[in-house]
Amino acid sequence: MTVAMQTNLHPAWLPADAFRAIGSRRTVISATTSDSPLIDTVYAEVRAACYRFGGTVTRSSVDDDTDLMLRLTSEPGGLGDEGYSVGRADGITTVTADGPAGLLYGLFHLVRLGGSAFTGDPVTDDRATRTHRPAVRRRMLNHWDNVDVNPLMGQIERGYAGGSIFWRAGALTDDLDRLRTYARLLAATGINAITVNNVNVGRTEARLLTDRLDDVATIAAIFRAYGIALHLSVSFASPMVLGGPPTADPLDESVRAWWAATTARVYDAVPDFGGYVVKADSEGQPGPFAYGRSHADGANMLADALAPYGGVVHWRAFVYNHRQDWRDRSTDRARAAYDHFAPLDGQFHDNAILQVKYGPMDFQAREPVSPVIGAMPATRLAVELQVTQEYTGHQLHVCYLGPLWSEVLGFRFDGDGDGPFTGDAGSTVAGIAEHGGSLVAVSNVGDDPFWCGHPLAQANLYAFGRLAWEPAADPVVLLDEWISLTFPADTVDDPALVRGVLHAMMDGSWRTYERYTAPLGVGFMVRPADHYGPSVDGYEYTQWGTYHFADRDGVGVDRTRAAGTGFAGQYPKPWADVYESIADCPDELLLFFHHVPYGHVLRSGSTVIQHIYDTHFAGADEAATMREHWQRLADAGLDPALYARVADRLDEQVRSAREWRDQINTYFFRKSGVPDAHGRRIH
Amino acid sequence: MTVAMQTNLHPAWLPADAFRAIGSRRTVISATTSDSPLIDTVYAEVRAACYRFGGTVTRSSVDDDTDLMLRLTSEPGGLGDEGYSVGRADGITTVTADGPAGLLYGLFHLVRLGGSAFTGDPVTDDRATRTHRPAVRRRMLNHWDNVDVNPLMGQIERGYAGGSIFWRAGALTDDLDRLRTYARLLAATGINAITVNNVNVGRTEARLLTDRLDDVATIAAIFRAYGIALHLSVSFASPMVLGGPPTADPLDESVRAWWAATTARVYDAVPDFGGYVVKADSEGQPGPFAYGRSHADGANMLADALAPYGGVVHWRAFVYNHRQDWRDRSTDRARAAYDHFAPLDGQFHDNAILQVKYGPMDFQAREPVSPVIGAMPATRLAVELQVTQEYTGHQLHVCYLGPLWSEVLGFRFDGDGDGPFTGDAGSTVAGIAEHGGSLVAVSNVGDDPFWCGHPLAQANLYAFGRLAWEPAADPVVLLDEWISLTFPADTVDDPALVRGVLHAMMDGSWRTYERYTAPLGVGFMVRPADHYGPSVDGYEYTQWGTYHFADRDGVGVDRTRAAGTGFAGQYPKPWADVYESIADCPDELLLFFHHVPYGHVLRSGSTVIQHIYDTHFAGADEAATMREHWQRLADAGLDPALYARVADRLDEQVRSAREWRDQINTYFFRKSGVPDAHGRRIH
């Protein structure tokens, strides 16, 4: 095999230069099994680097001139399939792994270390402990790609980077090199599982499971070489739409037999197939409710079909009434997943993984952590994050999501430590995902030359993979890693300037985005349907359960047990009490849990209305400052196309942030009548 | 020729039974010229009726047994091309016309009279004066049909009755019978001109002017047989997109030559071609502004190309800034058409007709009459109405627009007589359209079996044609005419019940629609893009210039000279003063002209806020009552498909009216904090 290097594509975090340290040295790959495609991949990677940078690589034993030893143990040494250790002695850096995947991950670890992997003795870089094992078994990306272009949603649902890299005009892409390049990028972050079709499964997409298995096998072979297992999103109604029994009842024997036979054929074609992902009884997708069956019945039926082959089903918990009456204040969409699923705890088979969005609503820039995650100790859970910036600026805005995910992963259900995760899993979200075995995110990649539309949005994809491997990692350190890889010191005029500018722009960009959009955790206020740009009342009188209830006196959703929907009671203590209390509720979630007057004084000391004004003026100013930072790089030697792309998008971000500022401020000034304490212009 | 009768189509106002009175009698057609296709049409119509009902028709002279004489004068008798007189003596009813078109219109007049045309002596039906001449020279329907389906707007822009009857998948329809049937229906209302493509002219549509003239000629031949002239919507940039000069500058000689040559070819193909309709410099369409030329320059250039053949250009005045900043309160879209066009009065050539929407905004259920109509005495004006229910319920709601149009047509610029038009044209809108020579409306027809989606929406199409012929007609009388024709007494069980129910539903349906939608003339508050259903703030923070400025204290747009945008000053007195004055401004337009507190007392004695509550509760109740009325016809012997279609749409109307009621009331309650005086439920 060869290493794909496509010249019309931005190399993201694997530019040729990232391999300089390895490629200029002498490497020996020592593996007792040579039949693994992953070992071939490791060899091909090093060989390609050596070809470019003058080093050597052999698949034999160490000799005197070796700088780097990549070694597969002959007996398992407790590192697991994917773990590895890094050591350095006698001038030789050694990566040891029990399995081929571990060797691949160890290689990419060295890429991150760069030249420092080959200095000192032992390796002391503080980003590298000696032994590395992934925290989470399955680190999965879901692609919401449609094979056919959907008339409403386009080719990628919630995609902001062009068309699909997998599918084109109903067929498998003919650019398989791009898929290899992509697999390589993902593996370098630690991702080891993907789905390649939308969880909303259309007629064409359903057929991937049966008569289009050849396409699936083709993709699987490409990703297999980088240790990434292919999963498929399937329709719960598959038997009915694919020529099976005229029912999808999960307790019907003919249905079970159809799934068993169909799954057997999938494994014939793809022996290391990962399993199924299912969105059922959600936003119009079919599911077990039609047959009076539970979600456990549905998930277990698929789990049973997969079990003989070691496959798993990821069953999404995103189930709610999407035809709610806005007049009905007793129904609370935030409650729905818990109400549906918590009673089923313990009923799911061991290879049925319940995939839960991190918040109770839908990927808002600020939500509390979903109480479902803490409520099902006897169920394997996957936590679902969103890399694609559906509600966070469509990859037109710089919004580095690492800090958001880090906060989510570090949230402790059993205590008050809701700061960044520091490593002790306990009852953190990360710990629960580790136990469940999956951390999942929706991809932000399309056929755009910069992969993600916004070049800086690559950092989100990178950070997701790295956090899935190591949830306790500091997201700012991960960003730094990404900067080092993406903008190698040798390729820019002033590396410190580039690094400084990018940190100034990105470190706090999520909070900046939060500041100029919906305030204090109230969420939404986006334009319906496309979810970009402000529309304060856009969702207020709709069926979607996403309301803010602003009137002339106040704003927010009362989700208390005492007087509201009771959602706060879905949390264990202390959170049930913290969120219940207006005094104790964190400011950033106040309007998620409480309806308060505009004059209510926050824990910060500001009133709600003044907080709205202040944060919106500040957020828009910060967006403008971000643009100024970028302009400092105009002559820094960056790829001109990349510079221009980011500059264009920053213009849009600045415009959009001002629009958010003005619409939100005007809306609340018109409602409240309270003038800005600082007399700034509100329209 | 034969008379088209398609069995899969609802016959609208020309069911076979409408011809019973004629078809069961003995008719003589006496015409000295037999070469007119219109005479052939008259003969074919009568012959088809006789075949069905047992009468006879000859094209010779009267004999003793004649009941009906259709007579073309040998010398013009002052009736004009389209006029006719009806008389009755010695048991013979005689229709006399100077021209073939007059004879056709006379025939359809008899159809409306039914049996009463043949009783008494003379004809005394009070709907029939002895002599009939159309008030307006051109009674035109504009079809906003796209030849190719537009990805955003579908096949018919703002169409609510399915696909186009003219075009299918980029080609001319192969159902030419349907076009014949349609031409016949239109002629029966008095319509004598149509366009068959959207005023937003796409690439494919532009080619109708040149290499697709054969399609145009095919359609023209069909409509010619019913006295209807074909016009085309053309792109101002036609030379550039159709292989002509690389400019569209109207003063460029090569452009003028291209249009002259192109127009000559059009007339070669269609000798009675009507002319062009142009939307220029409007919502993204190209126009003369790009070359620093005026709209008069643009219109005159096309007028000059058409003049040798007697053609006209209808040049639309719908020009405004569609990229307005909502923060900018100094720009007022309502002012735009006047500001653009009034200064050009007197500069348009005689065959350039300025086509002005009836209101200054965009076809709202309530707007003041456009001041442009009264401001250009030295220009030929066409008044544009909208039959398709873009802002009036998408043909899902019963909304009989005859009374709206009658009010508009009767509006006097020189006086206070803004009630229904009573016949003295003076400076009424109708009088100005008569002088200008055109009354135009956007069609509501598609390939739906009921033509209009909602069977009762046929009444709007019918009423438009009849009002264009006779603007002083009482719209309720026209509705009665439509009922008599569409539901002939012989075909239903209880004609009086049917008539009573339809009047109860339809007579006041426009005012009902107004009651449950945007209050007091403020307009919009519809869902953006599709313009259906409520969204109070949907347009409030957009680029479209359509704002209501509601805050916690009040609502409305200050368009006064004294403190607002000055739009009121575009009217002559007394209207400039009436609209300027909060005290004198008609209630139904108050919020169009003034921003007032919620407690402001209307001329009706109610406060603004209580008026909003009262009208919205009343409007939704009236919609529910409408449905109850219809249910009384469940067993009245109506076509079951028609009954069911109307019943289904009434369900939607009732639902939608409640949604409007609740959203508007809740929105204003939340803003104002004022409770309903009657304690009704507001959410």
Side-chain angles (χ1 to χ4, degrees):
Chain A
M1 80 161 274
T2 59
V3 176
M5 291 271 190
Q6 292 185 285
T7 54
N8 56 335
L9 270 178
H10 186 256
W13 49 86
L14 290 183
D17 218 69
F19 283 83
R20 178 182 295 275
I22 296 167
S24 57
R25 288 185 168 77
R26 298 155 301 182
T27 298
V28 170
I29 299 174
S30 164
T32 50
T33 58
S34 62
D35 59 346
S36 163
L38 291 180
I39 300 297
D40 294 341
T41 300
V42 170
Y43 178 72
E45 286 283 350
V46 177
R47 190 184 56 186
C50 291
Y51 181 80
R52 179 179 291 265
F53 295 108
T56 59
V57 58
T58 60
R59 300 182 72 162
S60 60
S61 56
V62 190
D63 64 29
D64 291 347
D65 296 325
T66 300
D67 302 309
L68 171 61
M69 174 77 164
L70 301 174
R71 192 174 71 86
L72 206 59
T73 58
S74 50
E75 298 290 330
L79 294 165
D81 288 348
E82 300 183 313
Y84 58 91
S85 65
V86 183
R88 183 162 170 79
D90 304 325
I92 301 178
T93 300
T94 303
V95 174
T96 308
D98 287 351
L103 217 53
L104 180 67
Y105 292 126
L107 174 69
F108 284 121
H109 181 89
L110 295 183
V111 169
R112 289 194 291 274
L113 292 178
S116 69
F118 302 99
T119 57
D121 187 358
V123 174
T124 54
D125 186 291
D126 63 4
R127 284 169 292 178
T129 58
R130 304 278 306 184
T131 296
H132 304 265
R133 272 185 294 261
V136 180
R137 166 75 190 88
R138 280 183 197 80
R139 307 171 297 280
M140 184 191 284
L141 271 186
N142 285 174
H143 289 270
W144 287 356
D145 293 21
N146 299 312
V147 178
D148 280 334
V149 175
N150 181 288
L152 222 62
M153 288 296 180
Q155 190 170 19
I156 306 185
E157 184 159 330
R158 309 306 176 186
Y160 312 107
S164 171
I165 60 172
F166 298 101
W167 312 106
R168 180 174 299 270
L172 178 63
T173 179
D174 54 14
D175 187 0
L176 298 181
D177 276 349
R178 176 141 195 177
L179 297 189
R180 282 184 204 102
T181 306
Y182 184 52
R184 183 172 178 258
L185 285 171
L186 295 188
T189 74
I191 285 168
N192 70 352
I194 55 165
T195 58
V196 296
N197 65 309
N198 192 354
V199 290
N200 292 315
V201 180
R203 291 241 150 206
T204 300
E205 291 73 16
R207 293 169 49 225
L208 295 176
L209 181 65
T210 51
D211 49 323
R212 293 191 59 176
L213 269 177
D214 51 344
D215 290 345
V216 175
T218 300
I219 299 173
I222 291 168
F223 283 82
R224 180 180 299 124
Y226 282 93
I228 298 167
L230 193 66
H231 298 237
L232 274 184
S233 298
V234 298
S235 168
F236 192 76
S238 292
M240 300 163 72
V241 299
L242 295 169
T247 169
D249 183 346
L251 302 192
D252 183 293
E253 277 309 320
S254 68
V255 171
R256 300 176 67 84
W258 185 89
W259 277 107
T262 300
T263 303
R265 282 192 294 272
V266 172
Y267 278 92
D268 281 346
V270 185
D272 55 354
F273 181 71
Y276 301 137
V277 175
V278 186
K279 176 178 182 177
D281 287 322
S282 172
E283 297 180 339
Q285 292 294 309
F289 284 168
Y291 310 98
R293 312 302 184 189
S294 76
H295 279 266
D297 293 331
N300 291 339
M301 182 264 292
L302 295 174
D304 292 349
L306 290 158
Y309 316 97
V312 297
V313 58
H314 285 79
W315 187 269
R316 294 175 87 239
F318 185 57
V319 176
Y320 68 100
N321 174 8
H322 70 293
R323 299 188 187 281
Q324 186 175 335
D325 188 332
W326 59 268
R327 301 164 190 81
D328 165 23
R329 293 211 187 185
S330 67
T331 301
D332 180 4
R333 170 168 164 180
R335 291 188 58 113
Y338 183 103
D339 288 343
H340 280 297
F341 287 95
L344 303 178
D345 188 33
Q347 298 183 27
F348 289 91
H349 293 180
D350 195 48
N351 65 330
I353 301 172
L354 190 63
Q355 182 168 321
V356 186
K357 292 191 181 190
Y358 68 86
M361 297 299 282
D362 190 15
F363 296 138
Q364 298 303 288
R366 176 69 71 178
E367 294 185 49
V369 165
S370 170
V372 176
I373 298 170
M376 302 184 67
T379 304
R380 294 179 66 192
L381 296 184
V383 176
E384 180 177 326
L385 307 174
Q386 194 181 40
V387 184
T388 192
Q389 291 174 233
E390 176 178 0
Y391 292 99
T392 52
H394 283 201
Q395 285 135 248
L396 295 169
H397 294 224
V398 175
C399 185
Y400 176 53
L401 294 165
L404 162 59
W405 301 330
S406 186
E407 274 196 27
V408 167
L409 292 167
F411 178 85
R412 300 188 74 96
F413 277 94
D414 64 354
D416 57 358
D418 64 329
F421 181 51
T422 54
D424 172 20
S427 67
T428 59
V429 170
I432 294 164
E434 289 171 26
H435 171 75
S438 291
L439 199 62
V440 182
V442 184
S443 169
N444 66 347
V445 162
D447 66 4
D448 172 69
F450 293 100
W451 296 94
C452 305
H454 203 308
L456 305 188
Q458 293 173 3
N460 286 324
L461 185 57
Y462 183 85
F464 167 71
R466 296 284 292 120
L467 282 170
W469 181 286
E470 185 186 353
D474 180 337
V476 174
V477 171
L478 295 180
L479 179 62
D480 200 69
E481 229 176 69
W482 173 78
I483 294 170
S484 297
L485 289 167
T486 306
F487 303 94
D490 293 349
T491 67
V492 293
D493 297 343
D494 183 347
L497 176 68
V498 171
R499 184 180 306 277
V501 162
L502 289 171
H503 277 295
M505 290 174 67
M506 298 174 73
D507 289 1
S509 56
W510 161 53
R511 293 223 179 237
T512 291
Y513 188 84
E514 180 185 19
R515 279 185 197 104
Y516 59 71
T517 56
L520 296 163
V522 76
F524 289 87
M525 300 192 167
V526 288
R527 211 161 49 201
D530 75 350
H531 299 165
Y532 184 78
S535 179
V536 181
D537 271 3
Y539 272 105
E540 192 59 14
Y541 301 97
T542 69
Q543 70 191 33
W544 297 99
T546 49
Y547 315 120
H548 56 67
F549 301 124
D551 62 21
R552 72 196 319 256
D553 300 316
V555 58
V557 188
D558 189 340
R559 291 191 163 108
T560 64
R561 299 189 291 286
T565 68
F567 168 73
Q570 292 186 341
Y571 290 87
K573 297 198 178 201
W575 296 110
D577 295 336
V578 168
Y579 292 147
E580 179 81 7
S581 159
I582 290 189
D584 296 336
C585 183
D587 282 351
E588 69 270 17
L589 291 172
L590 183 68
L591 300 184
F592 194 94
F593 284 102
H594 299 278
H595 187 92
V596 299
Y598 292 116
H600 173 81
V601 178
L602 296 168
R603 293 158 66 95
S604 70
S606 181
T607 61
V608 165
I609 187 72
Q610 191 59 41
H611 173 93
I612 291 173
Y613 298 152
D614 289 346
T615 51
H616 284 79
F617 281 112
D621 287 350
E622 287 162 24
T625 303
M626 232 181 245
R627 180 167 61 177
E628 288 167 15
H629 281 304
W630 186 250
Q631 287 163 352
R632 294 165 60 205
L633 299 185
D635 302 314
L638 300 182
D639 168 10
L642 182 145
Y643 181 82
R645 175 71 76 91
V646 173
D648 282 354
R649 297 203 169 203
L650 282 165
D651 287 346
E652 168 55 17
Q653 182 171 10
V654 170
R655 184 208 65 76
S656 176
R658 286 183 182 153
E659 191 66 28
W660 272 100
R661 174 195 69 191
D662 288 344
Q663 286 199 32
I664 297 265
N665 285 348
T666 299
Y667 180 95
F668 283 106
F669 173 67
R670 286 191 188 176
K671 274 234 154 102
S672 71
V674 179
D676 173 38
H678 306 297
R680 290 163 293 193
R681 177 80 193 269
I682 295 178
H683 297 273
Chain B
M1 80 162 273
T2 59
V3 176
M5 290 270 191
Q6 293 184 286
T7 52
N8 56 336
L9 272 176
H10 186 257
W13 48 85
L14 290 183
D17 218 69
F19 284 82
R20 179 182 296 276
I22 295 167
S24 57
R25 287 184 169 78
R26 298 155 301 181
T27 297
V28 170
I29 298 174
S30 165
T32 52
T33 59
S34 61
D35 58 347
S36 162
L38 291 180
I39 301 296
D40 293 343
T41 299
V42 169
Y43 177 73
E45 285 284 352
V46 178
R47 191 184 54 186
C50 290
Y51 182 79
R52 179 178 292 265
F53 294 108
T56 60
V57 57
T58 60
R59 299 182 75 164
S60 58
S61 56
V62 192
D63 63 28
D64 290 346
D65 296 327
T66 300
D67 301 308
L68 171 61
M69 172 79 164
L70 301 173
R71 192 174 69 88
L72 205 59
T73 57
S74 49
E75 298 290 329
L79 294 166
D81 286 350
E82 301 184 312
Y84 58 89
S85 65
V86 183
R88 183 163 169 80
D90 302 328
I92 301 178
T93 298
T94 303
V95 174
T96 307
D98 287 351
L103 217 55
L104 181 67
Y105 291 126
L107 173 69
F108 284 121
H109 181 90
L110 294 184
V111 169
R112 288 193 292 273
L113 291 178
S116 70
F118 303 99
T119 57
D121 188 358
V123 174
T124 54
D125 185 292
D126 62 6
R127 285 169 291 177
T129 58
R130 305 277 306 184
T131 298
H132 305 265
R133 270 183 296 259
V136 180
R137 167 74 189 87
R138 280 182 197 79
R139 307 172 296 279
M140 184 190 284
L141 270 186
N142 285 175
H143 290 269
W144 287 356
D145 292 23
N146 299 312
V147 177
D148 280 334
V149 175
N150 181 288
L152 220 65
M153 287 295 180
Q155 190 169 19
I156 305 184
E157 183 159 333
R158 309 306 177 187
Y160 313 106
S164 171
I165 60 171
F166 297 100
W167 313 104
R168 180 172 299 270
L172 179 64
T173 180
D174 56 12
D175 187 359
L176 298 180
D177 276 349
R178 176 143 194 177
L179 297 189
R180 280 183 205 103
T181 306
Y182 184 51
R184 183 172 177 257
L185 285 170
L186 295 188
T189 75
I191 285 168
N192 70 352
I194 54 165
T195 58
V196 295
N197 65 309
N198 191 354
V199 289
N200 292 315
V201 180
R203 291 240 152 209
T204 302
E205 292 74 15
R207 294 169 49 224
L208 294 175
L209 182 64
T210 51
D211 49 321
R212 293 189 59 175
L213 270 176
D214 51 343
D215 289 346
V216 176
T218 301
I219 300 174
I222 290 167
F223 284 80
R224 180 180 299 125
Y226 282 94
I228 298 168
L230 193 65
H231 298 236
L232 274 185
S233 298
V234 297
S235 167
F236 192 75
S238 292
M240 300 163 73
V241 300
L242 295 170
T247 170
D249 182 347
L251 301 192
D252 183 293
E253 277 309 318
S254 68
V255 171
R256 300 177 66 83
W258 185 89
W259 276 107
T262 300
T263 303
R265 283 192 293 272
V266 173
Y267 277 92
D268 281 347
V270 186
D272 56 352
F273 181 71
Y276 300 138
V277 174
V278 186
K279 176 178 181 176
D281 287 321
S282 173
E283 297 180 339
Q285 291 295 308
F289 284 168
Y291 310 98
R293 313 301 184 189
S294 76
H295 279 266
D297 293 332
N300 290 339
M301 183 263 293
L302 294 174
D304 291 349
L306 290 157
Y309 315 98
V312 296
V313 57
H314 285 79
W315 187 271
R316 292 176 88 239
F318 185 58
V319 176
Y320 68 100
N321 175 7
H322 70 292
R323 298 189 186 281
Q324 186 174 336
D325 188 332
W326 59 268
R327 301 163 190 81
D328 166 22
R329 294 211 186 186
S330 67
T331 301
D332 180 2
R333 170 168 164 180
R335 292 188 56 113
Y338 183 102
D339 287 343
H340 281 296
F341 287 96
L344 303 178
D345 188 33
Q347 297 183 26
F348 289 90
H349 293 180
D350 195 48
N351 65 328
I353 302 173
L354 190 64
Q355 183 168 321
V356 186
K357 291 191 181 190
Y358 68 85
M361 296 299 283
D362 191 14
F363 297 139
Q364 300 301 289
R366 176 69 70 177
E367 293 185 50
V369 165
S370 170
V372 177
I373 298 171
M376 300 184 69
T379 305
R380 294 178 66 189
L381 296 183
V383 176
E384 181 177 325
L385 307 173
Q386 194 181 40
V387 184
T388 193
Q389 290 174 235
E390 176 178 359
Y391 292 99
T392 51
H394 284 201
Q395 285 134 249
L396 295 167
H397 294 225
V398 176
C399 184
Y400 175 54
L401 294 165
L404 162 59
W405 300 331
S406 186
E407 275 196 25
V408 167
L409 293 168
F411 178 84
R412 303 188 73 96
F413 278 93
D414 64 354
D416 57 0
D418 64 331
F421 182 50
T422 52
D424 172 20
S427 66
T428 59
V429 170
I432 294 163
E434 289 172 25
H435 170 74
S438 291
L439 200 61
V440 182
V442 184
S443 170
N444 65 347
V445 162
D447 66 4
D448 172 70
F450 293 100
W451 297 94
C452 306
H454 202 309
L456 304 189
Q458 294 174 3
N460 286 324
L461 186 57
Y462 183 84
F464 166 71
R466 295 284 290 123
L467 282 170
W469 181 286
E470 184 185 355
D474 180 336
V476 173
V477 171
L478 295 180
L479 180 62
D480 199 69
E481 229 177 69
W482 173 80
I483 295 169
S484 296
L485 289 167
T486 306
F487 303 95
D490 292 352
T491 67
V492 293
D493 296 344
D494 184 344
L497 176 67
V498 171
R499 184 179 307 274
V501 161
L502 289 171
H503 277 294
M505 292 174 67
M506 298 174 74
D507 289 0
S509 55
W510 161 54
R511 294 222 177 236
T512 291
Y513 188 84
E514 180 185 18
R515 278 184 199 105
Y516 59 72
T517 56
L520 294 163
V522 76
F524 289 88
M525 299 191 169
V526 288
R527 211 161 51 202
D530 76 350
H531 299 164
Y532 184 78
S535 179
V536 180
D537 271 3
Y539 272 106
E540 192 59 12
Y541 302 96
T542 69
Q543 68 190 34
W544 296 100
T546 48
Y547 315 121
H548 55 66
F549 301 123
D551 61 20
R552 74 198 316 258
D553 302 314
V555 57
V557 188
D558 188 339
R559 291 191 162 107
T560 62
R561 297 189 293 285
T565 68
F567 169 73
Q570 292 186 340
Y571 290 86
K573 297 197 177 202
W575 294 110
D577 295 335
V578 168
Y579 292 147
E580 179 81 7
S581 159
I582 291 190
D584 296 337
C585 183
D587 282 351
E588 69 269 17
L589 291 173
L590 184 69
L591 301 183
F592 193 94
F593 284 101
H594 299 278
H595 186 92
V596 299
Y598 292 117
H600 173 80
V601 178
L602 296 167
R603 292 159 65 95
S604 71
S606 181
T607 61
V608 165
I609 187 70
Q610 192 58 42
H611 172 92
I612 291 173
Y613 298 152
D614 289 346
T615 51
H616 285 78
F617 281 112
D621 287 350
E622 288 163 22
T625 302
M626 233 182 245
R627 179 168 62 178
E628 287 168 14
H629 280 304
W630 185 250
Q631 287 162 350
R632 294 165 58 206
L633 300 185
D635 303 313
L638 300 183
D639 168 12
L642 181 143
Y643 180 83
R645 175 71 75 92
V646 173
D648 282 354
R649 299 204 166 203
L650 283 165
D651 287 346
E652 167 55 18
Q653 181 171 10
V654 169
R655 184 207 64 75
S656 176
R658 284 181 183 154
E659 191 65 28
W660 272 101
R661 173 193 71 191
D662 289 343
Q663 287 201 31
I664 297 266
N665 284 347
T666 299
Y667 181 96
F668 283 105
F669 174 67
R670 287 191 188 176
K671 274 234 155 102
S672 71
V674 178
D676 174 37
H678 307 297
R680 290 164 291 193
R681 178 80 192 271
I682 295 178
H683 298 272

